[in-house]
Amino acid sequence: MKAKYIPFFSLFLLVIITSCSETSNEQLFDSSLLEKRSAEEVEKVVEDFILAEDSTTIEIGEGFFDLKTQLILDSKENITIQGAGMEKTVLSFRNLKTGGEGMKIVGKNITVKDLTIEDAPGDGIKAQHTDGLTLRRVHATWTHGDKSKNGTYALYPVQCKNVVIDECIAAHSRDAGIYVGQSENIIVKNSLAYGNVAGIEIENCDNAEVFGNTARNNSGGILVFNLPGLPKSDGRGTKIYNNKIIDNNHKNFATPIGEGPNGNTVTMIPPGSGVVLLAAKEVEVFDNEILRNKTVGVAIASYQITGFPTDAPNWSPYTHDIFLHGNSYDRSGGFPDLSRELGQLVSIYNAHGKAKTQDIVYDGIFDKSRGNSIAQNPMNICISEQGLENLYFTQFDLSEGEENIKSSADVSPFSNCQVNVTTDVSFISSK
């Protein structure tokens, strides 16, 4: 259900205040200080990718490499792409003339490490149909001022298997910094995502663990989505733990990337969102610091909330089997954002008073084939947080439409259960 919300005169001033969301062009380091490599040295890097043979290492030395063409590794196996360090080897694609991604990978057992990707017109690194991908100490960012013109994803494995993203940094993407889509067997760990619309996003994936990361100063910190109409539908089995999900109050500068709903979903994320679970299945969120996200700490929602069509084969719009426990929350990030409809819903209709940041919200949409009442907890939403009585929890009732939205602070239907989310990341032993 996509609701339209009645403006409240009493919130007029608040709308003005929250419309000026935080924005940032923070950079890890100044790459302009690096020595510029010659045209011949840049061309040598391009040739090394084209001529790479299986089971070899492509070494890229120190300096600033101004590339005017993509780096493509196609159908190769057991390749390592080795830079001299994130702050020493910079591959700039600001002057890229053909293609969208900076680096594009298709293959098996590919490792990229110790380098920076800057200013790709599309994605920083895109890996597709790759079995065995490791990105380690890779930094991907955009350095120009107009963030709406930045690329879509910084690090973008899609339709891959056995993915490890470790000690990476992703910044200023106009969609997600670290995005893993339609993939299986995934580790995202010890990484930093900042200044993006979404910090880290797991979309239509099976068997993922996201831990030890920091997601800060994004619009949304960590997202688990299942979207309709994709080649791989309805992922399940994600664990999000031991992360710092803090101060994600950045302006949402996303622009639609297509006419269909999948190109627009991230544009709906209100600044100030810590964790967002949308049409997600079998997700455990535990032992995280979810702090100072001004709209909501954790949002649990079914796809109907978007207002987009929900008919798709082998896919369900409902979120179910969710377990929140052991997380810490802090509501002191500011006022909820009103620039997106979900933010309006949280701010105006929550169960604790207008303009109150919420720790946990649940849209209350459920599959009636699984139960007759939300009190039965048919979708198995389980919340077992310490000090739950002191948290701001809201369950919405949208069943009577946008003119009669109701809410409840009663968490008891969701507080006497748990979910056993099983993941297997034994594949990482070889990484």
Side-chain angles (χ1 to χ4, degrees):
M1 172 183 178
K2 187 178 181 181
K4 290 187 265 184
Y5 303 111
I6 303 170
F8 288 80
F9 181 79
S10 61
L11 290 176
F12 178 73
L13 180 60
L14 182 58
V15 172
I16 295 175
I17 293 171
T18 58
S19 66
C20 301
S21 299
E22 181 180 353
T23 187
S24 169
N25 288 306
E26 172 191 354
Q27 294 296 335
L28 178 67
F29 66 99
D30 185 356
S31 63
S32 69
L33 300 177
L34 293 175
E35 183 178 353
K36 307 298 188 292
R37 308 322 306 181
S38 68
E40 291 76 15
E41 289 171 311
V42 172
E43 185 60 28
K44 174 67 164 52
V45 173
V46 176
E47 290 178 356
D48 285 346
F49 273 73
I50 294 171
L51 301 176
E53 297 182 355
D54 292 348
S55 303
T56 58
T57 296
I58 299 172
E59 293 190 9
I60 308 174
E62 296 186 21
F64 184 94
F65 294 79
D66 183 3
L67 289 131
K68 296 178 175 61
T69 185
Q70 289 178 289
L71 297 176
I72 299 175
L73 199 66
D74 190 10
S75 302
K76 302 296 182 179
E77 297 188 9
N78 305 313
I79 299 289
T80 296
I81 301 164
Q82 171 78 64
M86 287 193 292
E87 298 187 24
K88 295 180 178 180
T89 300
V90 173
L91 308 178
S92 172
F93 296 90
R94 177 175 287 193
N95 295 312
L96 183 63
K97 303 301 182 185
T98 59
E101 304 89 2
M103 188 181 296
K104 188 171 184 180
I105 295 168
V106 178
K108 183 176 181 180
N109 296 330
I110 309 297
T111 296
V112 184
K113 59 183 180 179
D114 298 313
L115 54 79
T116 284
I117 301 285
E118 284 188 353
D119 296 324
D123 310 312
I125 297 179
K126 180 178 181 180
Q128 189 169 18
H129 302 301
T130 296
D131 184 352
L133 173 72
T134 300
L135 304 179
R136 181 166 285 124
R137 295 182 298 278
V138 174
H139 172 224
T141 189
W142 284 263
T143 64
H144 40 73
D146 187 351
K147 293 169 73 71
S148 68
K149 295 182 179 180
N150 290 355
T152 309
Y153 307 110
L155 304 177
Y156 180 30
V158 61
Q159 295 175 300
C160 294
K161 296 181 180 179
N162 304 318
V163 175
V164 176
I165 298 175
D166 182 20
E167 297 184 75
C168 291
I169 300 175
H172 306 305
S173 302
R174 65 179 172 89
D175 195 303
I178 298 174
Y179 172 103
V180 186
Q182 304 172 64
S183 299
E184 60 185 76
N185 302 339
I186 301 143
I187 288 285
V188 180
K189 64 175 182 173
N190 304 327
S191 294
L192 168 64
Y194 69 90
N196 309 281
V197 174
I200 300 170
E201 182 172 352
I202 306 297
E203 187 174 282
N204 293 64
C205 289
D206 292 329
N207 193 40
E209 294 198 10
V210 180
F211 61 93
N213 304 287
T214 296
R216 62 167 175 83
N217 197 28
N218 308 284
S219 304
I222 298 180
L223 282 52
V224 181
F225 281 10
N226 278 319
L227 302 185
L230 296 176
K232 184 186 185 321
S233 62
D234 248 6
R236 62 190 61 234
T238 298
K239 291 186 177 183
I240 301 169
Y241 58 96
N242 293 339
N243 301 285
K244 296 182 184 296
I245 307 164
I246 56 177
D247 299 307
N248 289 289
N249 302 312
H250 197 287
K251 178 181 178 181
N252 186 330
F253 55 96
T255 56
I257 58 174
E259 296 299 323
N262 293 342
N264 295 274
T265 309
V266 77
T267 66
M268 303 177 70
I269 299 299
S273 299
V275 177
V276 182
L277 310 179
L278 181 68
K281 283 81 175 168
E282 298 175 21
V283 180
E284 186 176 6
V285 182
F286 62 100
D287 295 344
N288 301 284
E289 296 180 29
I290 307 173
L291 310 178
R292 300 182 302 279
N293 304 289
K294 66 181 181 181
T295 300
V296 61
V298 180
I300 303 168
S302 290
Y303 194 75
Q304 290 93 330
I305 200 77
T306 68
F308 295 131
T310 58
D311 295 329
N314 305 312
W315 175 83
S316 166
Y318 297 101
T319 289
H320 61 76
D321 295 297
I322 304 299
F323 191 19
L324 311 182
H325 62 98
N327 300 291
S328 56
Y329 298 83
D330 180 347
R331 296 190 297 272
S332 66
F335 294 111
D337 186 87
L338 297 175
S339 65
R340 300 295 189 275
E341 289 177 335
L342 178 58
Q344 296 172 32
L345 179 67
V346 170
S347 182
I348 298 171
Y349 296 99
N350 77 77
H352 299 272
K354 292 180 177 61
K356 299 287 188 181
T357 300
Q358 302 298 291
D359 295 302
I360 304 167
V361 301
Y362 173 36
D363 68 2
I365 297 173
F366 65 94
D367 184 351
K368 292 184 178 179
S369 70
R370 295 178 57 140
N372 299 317
S373 168
I374 194 66
Q376 299 173 332
N377 192 16
M379 308 315 290
N380 206 26
I381 306 300
C382 299
I383 303 171
S384 182
E385 302 287 20
Q386 289 187 347
L388 188 54
E389 67 280 2
N390 297 317
L391 298 181
Y392 279 9
F393 166 81
T394 292
Q395 177 244 304
F396 296 100
D397 180 352
L398 307 174
S399 61
E400 298 182 17
E402 62 195 44
E403 302 302 324
N404 192 22
I405 297 172
K406 300 176 183 177
S407 63
S408 170
D410 182 10
V411 73
S412 60
F414 317 106
S415 59
N416 295 307
C417 62
Q418 64 180 35
V419 179
N420 181 25
V421 177
T422 301
T423 57
D424 178 6
V425 293
S426 57
F427 73 92
I428 198 175
S429 62
S430 62
K431 299 296 180 182

